[in-house]
Amino acid sequence: MILPIVSYGQSVLRQKCEEIDQTYPDLNKLIEDMWETLYPADGSGLAASQVGHLIKLFIVDSKEVFDRMEAEERVEFFVGDKGIKETFINAKITKYSDDLWIEDEGCLSIPTLSEEVTRSWTIEIEYFNKDFQKQTKTYSGTTARIIQHEFDHTEGKLYIDYVNPLKRKLLNSKLIKISKGEIKAKYKMVYGKS
Ligand SMILES: [Zn+2]
């Protein structure tokens, strides 16, 4: 089932998410629905808070990004993986590399906008996968960028928080329009301030 994605302006996007365990009701169905929601929206990651669940859960598909890239881009943006398709539960980023890089980022909750964001090139992360098996992994490049973006959602943070104040000011009128539903996404969304 495709779930409506919550737009910028709604308070669920600004709240810290809770850890969960295997007893969380209908968890597998929620994860399945999140994948079904991600693809038609043309996204590479989605956090549960974006579909109204304030829990530490997100999904990442950097495989699609990898597959779409030319060979020389793959070498530049992917190190150590050829893209991943993974579910992250109760994730904690335990290490951010000092090695930084800048790249355009967008967010399904903030349709039509994108801005340059500085992120760590490499991260170390601990999490549980969809079968609740504990994982400790290191990711770099595009995969690490998407993970950092989605992890931020579980902390109530958005990529626009990293944009410098002047650029943020310029974005403001568009953000207000998004929250009012005056700028619309092509996929199903819930607009409005709450
Ligand atoms: Zn996002």
Side-chain angles (χ1 to χ4, degrees):
M1 187 173 73
I2 295 176
L3 305 168
I5 295 171
V6 166
S7 84
Y8 175 82
Q10 301 222 12
S11 59
V12 283
L13 293 178
R14 289 310 198 177
Q15 287 167 44
K16 279 205 168 198
C17 295
E18 303 273 334
E19 290 203 347
I20 52 166
D21 60 29
Q22 277 164 301
T23 64
Y24 190 79
D26 299 320
L27 181 61
N28 288 334
K29 169 79 173 125
L30 173 62
I31 294 168
E32 208 177 282
D33 287 347
M34 283 171 67
W35 287 114
E36 254 182 69
T37 303
L38 180 68
Y39 292 120
D42 214 11
S44 43
L46 183 69
S49 60
Q50 292 179 278
V51 290
H53 291 259
L54 283 169
I55 56 173
K56 286 185 188 284
L57 161 68
F58 60 85
I59 56 171
V60 169
D61 187 348
S62 57
K63 225 170 176 33
E64 290 244 318
V65 185
F66 181 87
D67 290 344
R68 279 199 301 264
M69 278 184 176
E70 303 286 333
E72 44 301 355
E73 281 182 303
R74 289 174 177 173
V75 174
E76 192 180 340
F77 295 107
F78 284 85
V79 179
D81 66 79
K82 292 179 173 177
I84 60 160
K85 187 180 169 183
E86 180 70 308
T87 302
F88 294 81
I89 295 167
N90 300 341
K92 280 190 198 104
I93 296 181
T94 51
K95 215 182 207 174
Y96 289 89
S97 71
D98 295 332
D99 194 3
L100 306 174
W101 65 303
I102 299 169
E103 179 75 353
D104 257 12
E105 243 172 74
C107 178
L108 293 177
S109 292
I110 313 175
T112 74
L113 301 191
S114 67
E115 285 295 328
E116 285 186 338
V117 179
T118 305
R119 297 272 187 198
S120 289
W121 177 254
T122 301
I123 53 148
E124 276 177 31
I125 187 165
E126 288 175 11
Y127 64 97
F128 293 87
N129 65 13
K130 65 171 175 32
D131 303 316
F132 265 88
Q133 290 158 331
K134 176 116 192 245
Q135 310 287 314
T136 304
K137 296 262 173 77
T138 301
Y139 292 109
S140 296
T142 296
T143 301
R145 175 173 292 277
I146 302 167
I147 291 171
Q148 288 172 77
H149 177 115
E150 299 310 327
F151 172 77
D152 277 355
H153 276 297
T154 69
E155 299 271 293
K157 270 193 244 166
L158 299 171
Y159 81 87
I160 49 169
D161 301 345
Y162 299 106
V163 172
N164 76 52
L166 180 65
K167 270 196 185 162
R168 177 69 187 261
K169 224 175 172 178
L170 294 170
L171 283 181
N172 245 343
S173 64
K174 282 183 184 161
L175 290 172
I176 290 167
K177 281 186 178 159
I178 289 168
S179 70
K180 287 179 176 169
E182 290 168 11
I183 295 178
K184 283 198 192 308
K186 287 183 188 135
Y187 39 88
K188 202 163 46 157
M189 276 198 103
V190 192
Y191 300 96
K193 260 190 151 37
S194 68

